[in-house]
Amino acid sequence: VGLMQAPPEQGTQGGASPGYEYLDHPADIQLHAWGPSEKEVFEQLAVAMFGYITEDITTVDPTEEREVQVEGHDIYSLLYAFLDEWLFQFNGDLFLARQVEIDDLDLTHFRIRSKGRGEIFTRGKHPSGTEIKAVTYSNMRVVRGEDRLMHGYVVVDI
């Protein structure tokens, strides 16, 4: 797969703008997202996942809104539950989110309330990317980088 940069609307690495990229990982793919805080990192990881599923996230019109609420017992179980529930929106209803916004991120009680804007996958309109079978805990990290941005890394099973 190699290194792929996010669409321009997702921001670029090196600046304060949130963004994401795909990194090679044996038999799977690693999502890497960055932003000023955990909130933007989580949002970008969700959008990166949908971008990998459809290959061109810019073809998704934000005409429908879905809400996702999850809980965890630490930051990693919270991130896992968040991405897993958004993946379920695709696997259950073929819903693709072009934008994901976290309305409430509670890192004390490990809760998230979020909404995603997008539409139902339509063959011919949305290019098929790669199926994501599952979110994993493998190499999952949420860290502050030397660039002072938060960085999140998640491996997804393809």
Side-chain angles (χ1 to χ4, degrees), residues 24-89:
D24 278 333
H25 187 273
D28 294 317
I29 193 72
Q30 185 174 39
L31 309 176
H32 169 218
W34 56 89
S37 72
E38 292 89 347
K39 175 186 177 295
E40 289 86 0
V41 168
F42 280 37
E43 291 168 344
Q44 290 299 307
L45 285 168
V47 172
M49 188 172 63
F50 286 112
Y52 204 73
I53 290 169
T54 189
E55 200 172 88
D56 184 0
I57 197 77
T58 63
T59 64
V60 178
D61 294 321
T63 56
E64 183 180 331
E65 187 171 286
R66 300 271 176 110
E67 186 171 309
V68 163
Q69 296 184 49
V70 295
E71 296 182 9
H73 62 271
D74 61 19
I75 194 166
Y76 298 110
S77 64
L78 183 63
L79 177 55
Y80 178 93
F82 176 69
L83 294 176
D84 192 53
E85 186 59 32
W86 278 113
L87 182 59
F88 179 75
Q89 295 295 314

Side-chain angles (χ1 to χ4, degrees), residues 16-154:
S17 297
Y20 66 83
E21 66 184 355
Y22 306 112
L23 304 172
D24 278 333
H25 187 273
D28 294 317
I29 193 72
Q30 185 174 39
L31 309 176
H32 169 218
W34 56 89
S37 72
E38 292 89 347
K39 175 186 177 295
E40 289 86 0
V41 168
F42 280 37
E43 291 168 344
Q44 290 299 307
L45 285 168
V47 172
M49 188 172 63
F50 286 112
Y52 204 73
I53 290 169
T54 189
E55 200 172 88
D56 184 0
I57 197 77
T58 63
T59 64
V60 178
D61 294 321
T63 56
E64 183 180 331
E65 187 171 286
R66 300 271 176 110
E67 186 171 309
V68 163
Q69 296 184 49
V70 295
E71 296 182 9
H73 62 271
D74 61 19
I75 194 166
Y76 298 110
S77 64
L78 183 63
L79 177 55
Y80 178 93
F82 176 69
L83 294 176
D84 192 53
E85 186 59 32
W86 278 113
L87 182 59
F88 179 75
Q89 295 295 314
F90 179 76
N91 289 335
D93 296 333
L94 296 179
F95 180 76
L96 292 167
R98 178 173 175 162
Q99 304 161 342
V100 174
E101 181 181 342
I102 294 175
D103 297 318
D104 184 38
L105 174 60
D106 180 342
L107 292 176
T108 302
H109 299 100
F110 303 108
R111 295 184 198 133
I112 291 177
R113 189 179 74 247
S114 66
K115 60 185 166 220
R117 288 178 210 79
E119 63 183 335
I120 302 300
F121 176 84
T122 304
R123 193 169 306 284
K125 178 178 183 185
H126 305 112
S128 294
T130 303
E131 176 187 7
I132 294 178
K133 297 175 191 166
V135 177
T136 75
Y137 281 100
S138 176
N139 293 328
M140 185 182 284
R141 292 182 292 150
V142 179
V143 297
R144 183 160 307 279
E146 291 180 15
D147 57 6
R148 297 191 202 162
L149 295 175
M150 292 303 299
H151 291 260
Y153 299 86
V154 176

